[in-house]
Amino acid sequence: MDMSEVSRRGLVLLGCGKMGSAMLEGWLKGGLPAASVWVSDPYPSDWLKGQGVNLNAALPEAPAIVLVAVKPQMMAEALPGLARMGGGRTLFLSVAAGTTIAYYESVLGAETPIVRAMPNTPAAIGRGVTAITGNARATAAHLDLAEVLLSAVGQVVRIEGEHQMDAVTAVSGSGPAYVFHLIETLAAAGVAEGLPADLAMRLAKATVAGAGALAEASEEQPDQLRVNVTSPGGTTAAALKVLMDEARGFPALLREAVHAAAERGRELGR
Protein backbone atom coordinates (compact mmCIF):
# COMPACT_ATOMS: atom_id res chain seq x y z
CA MET A 1 0.00 0.00 0.00
CA ASP A 2 1.33 3.44 -0.97
CA MET A 3 0.11 6.98 -1.60
CA SER A 4 -1.16 6.10 -5.09
CA GLU A 5 -3.50 3.57 -3.52
CA VAL A 6 -4.55 6.16 -0.96
CA SER A 7 -5.43 8.52 -3.81
CA ARG A 8 -7.38 5.76 -5.56
CA ARG A 9 -9.25 4.26 -2.60
CA GLY A 10 -9.46 7.30 -0.37
CA LEU A 11 -8.39 8.50 3.06
CA VAL A 12 -10.85 9.10 5.91
CA LEU A 13 -9.87 11.64 8.55
CA LEU A 14 -11.94 11.18 11.69
CA GLY A 15 -11.63 14.47 13.57
CA CYS A 16 -9.99 17.59 12.19
CA GLY A 17 -8.84 19.77 15.06
CA LYS A 18 -5.40 21.36 15.19
CA MET A 19 -3.51 18.10 14.69
CA GLY A 20 -5.82 16.82 11.96
CA SER A 21 -5.74 20.17 10.16
CA ALA A 22 -1.94 20.29 10.25
CA MET A 23 -1.71 16.82 8.74
CA LEU A 24 -4.36 17.51 6.11
CA GLU A 25 -2.61 20.70 5.06
CA GLY A 26 0.64 18.76 4.64
CA TRP A 27 -1.00 16.00 2.57
CA LEU A 28 -2.72 18.44 0.25
CA LYS A 29 0.50 20.40 -0.26
CA GLY A 30 2.23 17.09 -0.96
CA GLY A 31 -0.15 16.31 -3.82
CA LEU A 32 -2.91 14.19 -2.30
CA PRO A 33 -6.08 15.14 -4.21
CA ALA A 34 -8.72 16.79 -2.05
CA ALA A 35 -11.31 14.58 -3.74
CA SER A 36 -9.58 11.53 -2.25
CA VAL A 37 -10.07 12.78 1.31
CA TRP A 38 -13.18 12.34 3.45
CA VAL A 39 -13.28 14.35 6.68
CA SER A 40 -15.74 13.64 9.46
CA ASP A 41 -15.89 16.48 11.97
CA PRO A 42 -18.98 17.90 13.72
CA TYR A 43 -17.52 21.40 14.01
CA PRO A 44 -15.50 22.05 10.84
CA SER A 45 -13.39 25.19 10.72
CA ASP A 46 -13.77 27.77 7.97
CA TRP A 47 -10.34 26.70 6.70
CA LEU A 48 -11.48 23.08 6.40
CA LYS A 49 -14.65 24.10 4.56
CA GLY A 50 -12.52 25.73 1.88
CA GLN A 51 -10.22 22.78 1.10
CA GLY A 52 -12.45 20.92 -1.33
CA VAL A 53 -12.45 17.65 0.63
CA ASN A 54 -15.53 15.46 1.09
CA LEU A 55 -16.76 17.00 4.33
CA ASN A 56 -19.20 15.04 6.50
CA ALA A 57 -20.30 13.11 3.42
CA ALA A 58 -21.07 9.41 3.09
CA LEU A 59 -17.81 7.50 3.55
CA PRO A 60 -16.30 5.04 1.04
CA GLU A 61 -16.89 1.37 1.79
CA ALA A 62 -13.23 0.35 2.06
CA PRO A 63 -10.85 3.33 2.10
CA ALA A 64 -7.12 2.69 2.08
CA ILE A 65 -6.72 4.31 5.46
CA VAL A 66 -8.71 5.77 8.32
CA LEU A 67 -6.80 8.24 10.44
CA VAL A 68 -8.36 8.62 13.89
CA ALA A 69 -7.71 12.08 15.33
CA VAL A 70 -10.65 12.59 17.67
CA LYS A 71 -10.23 13.33 21.36
CA PRO A 72 -10.11 10.15 23.49
CA GLN A 73 -13.36 11.04 25.27
CA MET A 74 -15.14 11.07 21.88
CA MET A 75 -13.78 7.69 20.82
CA ALA A 76 -16.62 5.52 22.14
CA GLU A 77 -19.09 7.53 20.09
CA ALA A 78 -17.07 7.98 16.90
CA LEU A 79 -15.32 4.65 16.29
CA PRO A 80 -18.15 2.03 16.30
CA GLY A 81 -19.66 3.63 13.21
CA LEU A 82 -16.53 2.61 11.30
CA ALA A 83 -16.54 -1.03 12.46
CA ARG A 84 -17.64 -2.18 9.00
CA MET A 85 -14.23 -1.01 7.70
CA GLY A 86 -12.43 -3.37 10.05
CA GLY A 87 -11.21 -6.82 9.14
CA GLY A 88 -8.18 -6.20 6.97
CA ARG A 89 -8.65 -4.08 3.85
CA THR A 90 -8.38 -0.70 5.62
CA LEU A 91 -5.46 0.48 7.74
CA PHE A 92 -6.45 2.35 10.89
CA LEU A 93 -3.89 4.91 12.04
CA SER A 94 -4.53 6.49 15.44
CA VAL A 95 -3.06 9.71 16.81
CA ALA A 96 -5.51 9.71 19.75
CA ALA A 97 -3.68 9.89 23.07
CA GLY A 98 -4.20 7.07 25.56
CA THR A 99 -6.27 4.81 23.30
CA THR A 100 -4.68 1.37 23.14
CA ILE A 101 -4.37 -0.97 20.18
CA ALA A 102 -6.41 -3.52 22.16
CA TYR A 103 -9.33 -1.09 22.28
CA TYR A 104 -9.26 -0.63 18.51
CA GLU A 105 -9.11 -4.39 18.00
CA SER A 106 -12.10 -4.86 20.33
CA VAL A 107 -14.20 -2.49 18.21
CA LEU A 108 -12.83 -3.18 14.73
CA GLY A 109 -11.78 -6.84 14.99
CA ALA A 110 -8.42 -8.48 15.61
CA GLU A 111 -7.79 -8.89 11.88
CA THR A 112 -7.68 -5.12 11.39
CA PRO A 113 -4.24 -3.59 10.72
CA ILE A 114 -3.71 -0.84 13.29
CA VAL A 115 -0.87 1.61 13.75
CA ARG A 116 -0.80 3.68 16.92
CA ALA A 117 1.06 7.00 16.82
CA MET A 118 2.01 9.58 19.42
CA PRO A 119 2.67 13.01 17.89
CA ASN A 120 3.31 16.23 19.82
CA THR A 121 2.04 19.77 19.51
CA PRO A 122 4.93 21.23 17.45
CA ALA A 123 3.36 19.18 14.64
CA ALA A 124 1.07 22.20 14.22
CA ILE A 125 4.01 24.05 12.64
CA GLY A 126 5.57 21.02 10.94
CA ARG A 127 8.19 20.54 13.69
CA GLY A 128 6.67 17.61 15.54
CA VAL A 129 8.12 14.22 16.33
CA THR A 130 5.83 11.19 16.18
CA ALA A 131 6.48 7.66 17.45
CA ILE A 132 4.67 4.76 15.77
CA THR A 133 4.09 1.07 16.40
CA GLY A 134 1.74 -1.45 14.87
CA ASN A 135 -0.27 -4.51 15.86
CA ALA A 136 0.37 -8.02 14.55
CA ARG A 137 -1.66 -7.32 11.39
CA ALA A 138 0.24 -4.14 10.49
CA THR A 139 2.76 -5.00 7.79
CA ALA A 140 5.99 -3.23 6.89
CA ALA A 141 4.09 -1.53 4.07
CA HIS A 142 1.46 -0.28 6.53
CA LEU A 143 4.15 1.19 8.77
CA ASP A 144 5.86 2.77 5.77
CA LEU A 145 2.59 4.41 4.73
CA ALA A 146 1.96 5.66 8.27
CA GLU A 147 5.44 7.17 8.30
CA VAL A 148 4.86 8.92 4.97
CA LEU A 149 1.57 10.40 6.18
CA LEU A 150 2.92 11.52 9.55
CA SER A 151 6.07 12.99 7.99
CA ALA A 152 3.80 15.80 6.80
CA VAL A 153 4.05 17.28 10.32
CA GLY A 154 7.64 16.46 11.30
CA GLN A 155 9.95 13.60 12.16
CA VAL A 156 8.77 10.01 12.65
CA VAL A 157 10.45 7.35 14.81
CA ARG A 158 9.55 3.70 15.25
CA ILE A 159 9.46 2.09 18.67
CA GLU A 160 9.79 -1.58 19.63
CA GLY A 161 6.17 -1.94 20.64
CA GLU A 162 3.25 -0.43 22.48
CA HIS A 163 4.97 -1.10 25.83
CA GLN A 164 7.22 1.92 25.07
CA MET A 165 4.36 4.29 24.25
CA ASP A 166 3.84 5.58 27.80
CA ALA A 167 7.52 6.53 28.01
CA VAL A 168 7.32 8.23 24.60
CA THR A 169 4.26 10.14 25.78
CA ALA A 170 6.10 11.26 28.91
CA VAL A 171 9.16 12.48 26.97
CA SER A 172 7.95 13.91 23.65
CA GLY A 173 4.17 13.94 23.96
CA SER A 174 4.08 15.89 27.23
CA GLY A 175 7.57 17.31 26.73
CA PRO A 176 6.58 20.57 25.00
CA ALA A 177 4.76 21.59 28.20
CA TYR A 178 7.99 21.13 30.14
CA VAL A 179 9.77 23.44 27.72
CA PHE A 180 6.99 26.04 27.86
CA HIS A 181 7.26 25.98 31.65
CA LEU A 182 11.03 26.44 31.36
CA ILE A 183 10.43 29.52 29.21
CA GLU A 184 7.98 31.07 31.64
CA THR A 185 10.13 30.37 34.70
CA LEU A 186 13.31 31.55 32.97
CA ALA A 187 11.56 34.80 32.08
CA ALA A 188 10.26 35.18 35.63
CA ALA A 189 13.78 34.68 36.97
CA GLY A 190 14.99 37.43 34.63
CA VAL A 191 12.34 39.77 36.02
CA ALA A 192 13.52 38.92 39.53
CA GLU A 193 17.00 40.07 38.50
CA GLY A 194 15.69 43.43 37.27
CA LEU A 195 14.64 42.97 33.64
CA PRO A 196 11.34 44.31 32.26
CA ALA A 197 8.83 41.47 31.84
CA ASP A 198 8.45 41.80 28.06
CA LEU A 199 12.21 41.85 27.51
CA ALA A 200 12.76 38.88 29.83
CA MET A 201 10.13 36.86 27.97
CA ARG A 202 11.58 37.75 24.57
CA LEU A 203 15.04 36.70 25.74
CA ALA A 204 13.72 33.45 27.24
CA LYS A 205 11.73 32.46 24.13
CA ALA A 206 14.57 33.22 21.73
CA THR A 207 17.15 31.48 23.93
CA VAL A 208 15.19 28.25 24.28
CA ALA A 209 14.19 28.19 20.60
CA GLY A 210 17.72 28.96 19.45
CA ALA A 211 19.36 26.44 21.75
CA GLY A 212 16.92 23.75 20.60
CA ALA A 213 17.64 24.51 16.96
CA LEU A 214 21.38 24.44 17.63
CA ALA A 215 21.10 21.10 19.46
CA GLU A 216 19.18 19.60 16.54
CA ALA A 217 21.49 20.99 13.85
CA SER A 218 24.83 20.36 15.56
CA GLU A 219 26.87 17.20 15.09
CA GLU A 220 27.89 17.51 18.75
CA GLN A 221 25.75 16.01 21.50
CA PRO A 222 23.98 18.30 24.00
CA ASP A 223 26.42 17.45 26.79
CA GLN A 224 29.30 18.73 24.63
CA LEU A 225 27.35 21.83 23.59
CA ARG A 226 26.85 22.52 27.29
CA VAL A 227 30.56 22.18 27.93
CA ASN A 228 31.31 24.49 24.99
CA VAL A 229 29.50 27.42 26.64
CA THR A 230 30.67 26.75 30.20
CA SER A 231 33.87 28.55 31.16
CA PRO A 232 35.41 27.22 34.38
CA GLY A 233 34.50 29.53 37.25
CA GLY A 234 32.23 31.64 35.03
CA THR A 235 28.59 32.66 35.12
CA THR A 236 27.25 29.58 33.31
CA ALA A 237 29.18 27.30 35.63
CA ALA A 238 27.63 29.04 38.64
CA ALA A 239 24.12 28.44 37.26
CA LEU A 240 24.81 24.84 36.26
CA LYS A 241 26.07 24.04 39.75
CA VAL A 242 22.48 24.65 40.86
CA LEU A 243 20.70 23.08 37.88
CA MET A 244 22.84 19.93 37.79
CA ASP A 245 22.60 19.21 41.51
CA GLU A 246 21.62 15.52 41.74
CA ALA A 247 19.34 16.10 44.72
CA ARG A 248 17.34 19.17 43.66
CA GLY A 249 18.34 20.06 40.10
CA PHE A 250 17.23 18.99 36.63
CA PRO A 251 18.46 15.34 36.86
CA ALA A 252 16.24 14.42 39.80
CA LEU A 253 13.38 16.73 38.87
CA LEU A 254 13.01 15.55 35.28
CA ARG A 255 13.37 11.89 36.21
CA GLU A 256 10.52 12.36 38.69
CA ALA A 257 8.40 14.37 36.25
CA VAL A 258 8.80 11.97 33.31
CA HIS A 259 8.15 8.98 35.57
CA ALA A 260 4.97 10.62 36.88
CA ALA A 261 3.73 11.23 33.33
CA ALA A 262 4.55 7.67 32.25
CA GLU A 263 2.81 6.20 35.29
CA ARG A 264 -0.28 8.30 34.61
CA GLY A 265 -0.28 7.08 31.02
CA ARG A 266 -0.19 3.47 32.25
CA GLU A 267 -3.11 4.16 34.58
CA LEU A 268 -5.19 5.73 31.81
CA GLY A 269 -4.47 2.82 29.48
CA ARG A 270 -5.75 0.17 31.88
Side-chain angles (χ1 to χ4, degrees), residues 108-222:
L108 303 168
E111 299 301 309
T112 305
I114 298 160
V115 173
R116 183 180 170 192
M118 171 51 64
N120 61 3
T121 54
I125 59 167
R127 294 295 305 275
V129 59
T130 303
I132 62 173
T133 189
N135 69 346
R137 294 295 173 179
T139 66
H142 288 135
L143 286 164
D144 287 345
L145 176 59
E147 183 167 339
V148 168
L149 289 167
L150 293 165
S151 292
V153 291
Q155 300 180 45
V156 179
V157 299
R158 301 191 188 193
I159 57 176
E160 292 177 3
E162 196 174 26
H163 64 282
Q164 293 184 329
M165 195 60 84
D166 292 315
V168 167
T169 302
V171 173
S172 58
S174 299
Y178 315 156
V179 178
F180 301 147
H181 187 52
L182 171 63
I183 292 171
E184 64 179 332
T185 53
L186 181 57
V191 172
E193 293 300 319
L195 292 174
D198 57 345
L199 175 59
M201 181 59 73
R202 183 177 177 185
L203 290 171
K205 285 181 178 179
T207 298
V208 171
L214 178 60
E216 191 170 49
S218 177
E219 293 183 1
E220 296 180 313
Q221 292 299 307

Side-chain angles (χ1 to χ4, degrees), residues 9-14 37-41 54-63 65-66 78-79 81-85 92:
R9 291 174 52 197
L11 179 153
V12 172
L13 178 57
L14 187 62
V37 179
W38 279 258
V39 177
S40 180
D41 190 288
N54 301 284
L55 181 57
N56 294 324
L59 301 179
E61 284 298 313
I65 186 164
V66 172
L79 196 61
L82 303 182
R84 62 180 172 78
M85 298 178 186
F92 279 75

